[in-house]
Every structure is written in structure tokens, then in C-alpha cells.
Amino acid sequence: MHLMDGVLPLPVVAGGFVGAGALCAWSAYKIKDEEIPRIAVFTAAFFVASLIHIKTGPTSVHLVLNGLVGVVLGRRCCLAFPIGLFLQAVLQENGGVSVLGVNTCIFAIPALVSWRLYHFLCRWNEHWRFAAGVISGAMGVLLSAFLVAIALRFIGEGFDSIAKFVFLAHIPVMLIEGAMTGLIVQFLARAQPALLKDIR
């Protein structure tokens, strides 16, 4: 799911840093001290989820958890991704520092969509919490894969087939993460409902 150093043109890389900076500034606005441990825990979860890779042709897939991170952290989720991605780039050589901004946007924007989608569905009916988690978790992966495919189109037409393959390879991940997110939010709703409070 990561884009690597040296594959994107400079304007796209620069635009990624501008977009990521804006997202992080908005995410950090009026942050409270008591929110920091929760952000740290889900940043760690996002990082750990990337440790196990399954090779699929020219790419590899792994759990992403950006939908879950978005649901639990709300707009604070944008702070988790650059830290997790930086650690992945430095410690695992996944992604890269020069594309940190673009990769942050690829994960953060879908996470924000998952956050709003989850709370929108739960407002209709609290008993839909599991279904809302499934849909939101799957949506995070689906949109991230779509954004990666779009970014690969900026490289040139030769990457069209890779862009399609990356998107299709993440469909099983989307289904797995949807089920995981549904189960986790259902558990948190019983054990720690404060973690699912809508953070605006």
C-alpha cells in the first residue's frame, strides 16, 4: 500500500507534504493531554499491522487498520499516520521519507471518511454498530487502495496494470479489516464506550 521513494514526480511529492501538513495541523488543533495516550496506542497498532507482509505478484499486502484508527481517533487520526509511516520507512524500509506526505494523505483521508461514515450510520441506529464498523473498516482500505492507484497513474501509463493489480490485491484485505473493525468496535462499545466518542 506504500508508495516508494523516487517513483512520484516532484510536484506530487511537494503537494503531498502540503496536504499532510494541513491535515496534521487541523488534527492537532485544541488537542488535550488525555487524548495523547489513545493516539499513541493506535499509532502503534497501525505500525504493528504492517509488519506481516504477504507477497502478491509485483506488490505485497498487509493489514492497514486505517479505518479502525479513524473510527476510534476521529479527526486526531491524522497524527497517527505520519509517525507510523516514518517508523515503517526507517525500520522496515517500507515506503520512504520523501513520499511521507503522499503516503500520509493516502491513509489519513480514507480514515477521516471512515470516521464520519461510522458515526453517521450509528446515529441512524445504535444496533447497527457492528455493521457500521464493518463498512467503515472496509471503506478505509478500499479508498486507500484507490488513492494509491490514482497516484501510480501520475508516474505514467506503464504503471496502469500495476495500479489495477494493487487495487484488486487489497480486496481480501478490505473484507478482513471490515470484519475485524466490526468486532473491535462492538467490543469497545461494551468495554470502553468512551473510546468511541465522536471527537470533532
Side-chain angles (χ1 to χ4, degrees):
M1 188 76 79
H2 302 78
L3 293 169
M4 306 301 289
D5 281 330
V7 298
L8 292 176
L10 185 58
V12 177
V13 171
F17 277 108
V18 171
L23 286 171
C24 289
W26 171 69
S27 186
Y29 181 65
K30 291 187 176 180
I31 193 170
K32 299 173 183 175
D33 290 343
E34 57 267 26
E35 295 178 79
I36 294 174
R38 187 192 331 190
I39 295 169
V41 167
F42 282 90
T43 300
F46 170 72
F47 170 71
V48 170
S50 69
L51 292 176
I52 301 173
H53 285 253
I54 301 172
K55 191 72 176 172
T56 55
T59 186
S60 62
V61 298
H62 58 79
L63 292 177
V64 181
L65 300 186
N66 61 332
L68 175 64
V69 172
V71 168
V72 177
L73 296 184
R75 71 182 179 96
R76 306 295 187 210
C77 71
C78 301
L79 300 174
F81 298 114
I83 297 169
L85 290 167
F86 177 77
L87 291 174
Q88 289 171 13
V90 172
L91 300 177
Q92 300 177 249
E93 298 183 353
N94 290 331
V97 176
S98 70
V99 288
L100 186 60
V102 174
N103 282 333
T104 296
C105 293
I106 284 170
F107 290 110
I109 293 171
L112 292 171
V113 173
S114 294
W115 161 49
R116 297 314 308 147
L117 180 61
Y118 173 80
H119 289 287
F120 172 77
L121 293 173
C122 285
R123 274 198 295 270
W124 280 95
N125 191 329
E126 277 194 5
H127 300 294
W128 291 2
R129 195 175 296 279
F130 173 75
V134 171
I135 294 168
S136 301
M139 185 63 68
V141 178
L142 179 68
L143 291 180
S144 287
F146 180 69
L147 291 177
V148 169
I150 290 175
L152 288 171
R153 292 296 302 273
F154 281 101
I155 304 172
E157 292 184 5
F159 283 82
D160 284 357
S161 59
I162 296 176
K164 292 175 184 175
F165 188 84
V166 167
F167 183 81
L168 293 174
H170 282 86
I171 291 177
V173 179
M174 175 188 73
L175 299 174
I176 292 168
E177 287 210 18
M180 281 181 57
T181 303
L183 291 170
I184 290 170
V185 298
Q186 197 171 41
F187 170 76
L188 291 177
R190 295 193 189 113
Q192 290 289 336
L195 288 178
L196 296 176
K197 182 181 177 182
D198 193 1
I199 300 174
R200 294 181 178 271

